[in-house]
Amino acid sequence: MTRPGSPDSRRPALMPLDDALSQLLAFAVPLADIDSVSTFEADGRVLAQNLVSALQVPPHDNSSMDGYAVRCLDVAQALQSTQPEAGTLPVSQRIAAGSSGVPLAPMTVARIFTGAPIPLGADAVVMQEDCEVLPGAGGPGSNAVRIKSVPAPGQWIRRAGEDVTQGAVVLSKGERLTPAALGLAASIGMNLLQVARRPRVALFSTGDELVMPGDVAPEQMKPGAIYNSNRFFLRALLQRLGCEVSDLGIVPDRLDATVAALQAAAQHHDLILTSGGVSVGEEDHIKPAVQSLGQLDLWQIAIKPGKPFAYGRVANAHFIGLPGNPVSSFVTFLLLVRPFLLKLQGVTQGAIKSIAVPAHFTWARADKRREFLRVRRNAAGGLDLFANQSSGVLTSAVWGDGLVDNPPGQTIAFGDPVRFIPFSEIMG
């Protein structure tokens, strides 16, 4: 039992991840500003309007194959002939995509191409591979085709409105646009889209031990110095989320420098994001600096890797402080910062989804915290575990293609189904 006044009794209670995320998202009021952008330039942006179709797509019944538009009963009648040319019908017209034909004359077929409108009277299309062309058999200067079997009504016909009906909401406000969504928007005639403004994010690191790659050669690094890796992956993740990023560099471990950086960043940004300095050591100046300018909550979150996390306000800007260990910073960004930024842009469906995949490893070391293990799918359909799960081993996030979301106190036996979160779902 822990005695009152002992070091353990003074530790703040760890906050469950779901509670932390709920509290964080409560602060994320969607940005009010809207941009009007070309549909060509809208990939990854978030819709600020419902897209309602003013037409149906396709606008008319059309052929999904190159071939011949026919009337099924005519083909059946032609096949009943006892003559050698049984199943033969003359070609009465040619219909290409972008043109329109005339009503199909009885006991004839129409040469038709993919996307061309079905002529009135036709009720099926026969692929050209299933027809035998008989040059001149349709009369002087015309062809006929022999069809070997009666097609099913509606065969190889795309019906009008089968993709989009007139008046339908094809894309909803709050959806994040994908390449396919851009094509769908264009298919209903949208050349400009109303989207949420990009969040403006100020990014900086703290720590006198940090060195930028290129500034000092590896062989000239001083004892205790490390290259700043966090800024590189955080900036890339922010840009993938559609943010406008101001990279403010490395802030020295001084209170006055930290205060000045925060003051400058708060003037023109929606969010200030830092990594490192969110502990309570003598050289961790983030806490007093933010508190001197606004307000700050330090959260101890019950996750591994991760745990130290800070949220606050500096003037009108949100502030989020991530832990300094690279894997901790990487994972807490994906689990907390990403949903926060998506909500700022008005995304309505930002929940992280996992799938059940068998573990092809054992995990006997159950932890009190909710763990996020770096894993990779294998050819057998299971998940392999990276050997070193330390929060400082960024190699694990490069080798892996996702995370196992392992509940607190849970061990994993080989073959157990686990909750797998692919990086492909949470890194863009």
Side-chain angles (χ1 to χ4, degrees):
M1 177 180 295
T2 302
R3 296 179 179 178
S6 68
D8 285 345
S9 70
R10 294 192 296 270
R11 291 176 182 172
L14 298 182
M15 183 185 299
L17 174 62
D18 291 342
D19 293 348
L21 181 58
S22 178
Q23 290 189 33
L24 185 65
L25 293 181
F27 295 119
V29 178
L31 301 172
D33 300 333
I34 294 174
D35 294 337
S36 180
V37 301
S38 164
T39 303
F40 276 122
E41 306 299 328
D43 184 35
R45 304 295 293 270
V46 178
L47 269 179
Q49 62 176 147
N50 288 337
L51 293 192
V52 180
S53 180
L55 74 165
Q56 59 183 9
V57 181
H60 42 64
D61 291 355
N62 70 92
S63 178
S64 62
M65 291 286 175
D66 291 345
Y68 296 88
V70 303
R71 187 180 288 106
C72 294
L73 289 177
D74 290 350
V75 176
Q77 183 176 340
L79 285 170
Q80 292 174 359
S81 172
T82 59
Q83 301 299 316
E85 63 272 12
T88 300
L89 292 169
V91 179
S92 59
Q93 59 180 305
R94 183 180 186 275
I95 311 172
S99 64
S100 58
V102 298
L104 186 64
M107 297 303 293
T108 70
V109 301
R111 178 68 165 122
I112 198 166
F113 297 90
T114 303
I118 301 297
L120 185 65
D123 58 6
V125 171
V126 181
M127 289 193 301
Q128 61 187 19
E129 293 88 343
D130 295 334
C131 299
E132 179 185 358
V133 179
L134 304 174
S142 64
N143 297 333
V145 293
R146 179 178 289 128
I147 302 172
K148 299 178 181 179
S149 61
V150 180
Q155 175 178 292
W156 303 123
I157 293 178
R158 294 183 291 214
R159 296 300 181 186
E162 73 173 29
D163 188 3
V164 177
T165 58
Q166 187 174 2
V169 176
V170 299
L171 294 168
S172 300
K173 178 180 179 180
E175 287 192 46
R176 196 161 175 227
L177 293 165
T178 62
L182 299 183
L184 183 57
S187 76
I188 64 168
M190 302 298 298
N191 69 317
L192 292 174
L193 298 175
Q194 303 300 305
V195 297
R197 172 174 66 77
R198 295 183 185 275
R200 294 187 287 263
V201 181
L203 174 66
F204 66 83
S205 305
T206 63
D208 288 341
E209 75 279 12
L210 298 177
V211 176
M212 284 298 291
D215 289 350
V216 180
E219 65 273 11
Q220 296 175 344
M221 292 279 279
K222 296 179 180 179
I226 58 173
Y227 286 120
N228 186 349
S229 61
N230 293 15
R231 240 168 76 210
F232 285 84
F233 65 72
L234 290 175
R235 177 171 174 169
L237 289 169
L238 288 168
Q239 290 173 331
R240 286 190 177 197
L241 287 168
C243 299
E244 295 179 0
V245 183
S246 300
D247 191 337
L248 305 185
I250 300 171
V251 175
D253 275 332
R254 301 195 319 269
L255 180 59
D256 61 334
T258 306
V259 169
L262 290 168
Q263 282 180 319
Q267 294 181 24
H268 304 292
H269 296 91
D270 305 298
L271 169 66
I272 304 168
L273 181 66
T274 67
S275 64
V278 293
S279 299
V280 292
E282 294 180 4
E283 297 301 322
D284 294 325
H285 300 297
I286 288 292
K287 179 180 179 181
V290 174
Q291 289 175 327
S292 71
L293 299 171
Q295 61 188 47
L296 181 72
D297 290 321
L298 284 173
W299 299 345
Q300 296 290 302
I301 302 176
I303 59 173
K304 183 180 181 181
K307 194 169 80 167
F309 185 86
Y311 172 80
R313 299 280 297 195
V314 179
N316 292 322
H318 299 279
F319 170 83
I320 292 179
L322 300 178
N325 280 328
V327 182
S328 297
S329 187
F330 180 76
V331 170
T332 51
F333 182 98
L334 296 177
L335 299 179
L336 292 162
V337 182
R338 181 180 184 274
F340 181 86
L341 286 167
L342 290 177
K343 188 178 177 186
L344 278 187
Q345 297 176 75
V347 170
T348 54
Q349 300 293 330
I352 295 174
K353 298 177 182 178
S354 62
I355 56 176
V357 181
H360 286 182
F361 61 89
T362 59
W363 186 252
R365 305 187 301 272
D367 197 277
K368 294 180 180 180
R369 290 179 281 168
R370 184 173 170 181
E371 297 175 284
F372 290 88
L373 309 173
R374 278 75 69 206
V375 295
R376 183 167 70 184
R377 293 199 212 209
N378 58 38
L383 297 172
D384 295 329
L385 181 74
F386 192 77
N388 189 338
Q389 292 287 316
S390 168
S391 63
V393 180
L394 193 55
T395 307
S396 65
V398 177
W399 175 90
D401 57 12
L403 304 169
V404 163
D405 180 359
N406 194 41
Q410 182 72 51
T411 59
I412 301 172
F414 192 100
D416 283 351
V418 293
R419 295 183 296 190
F420 175 60
I421 304 171
F423 283 148
S424 60
E425 296 295 319
I426 55 174
M427 286 181 61

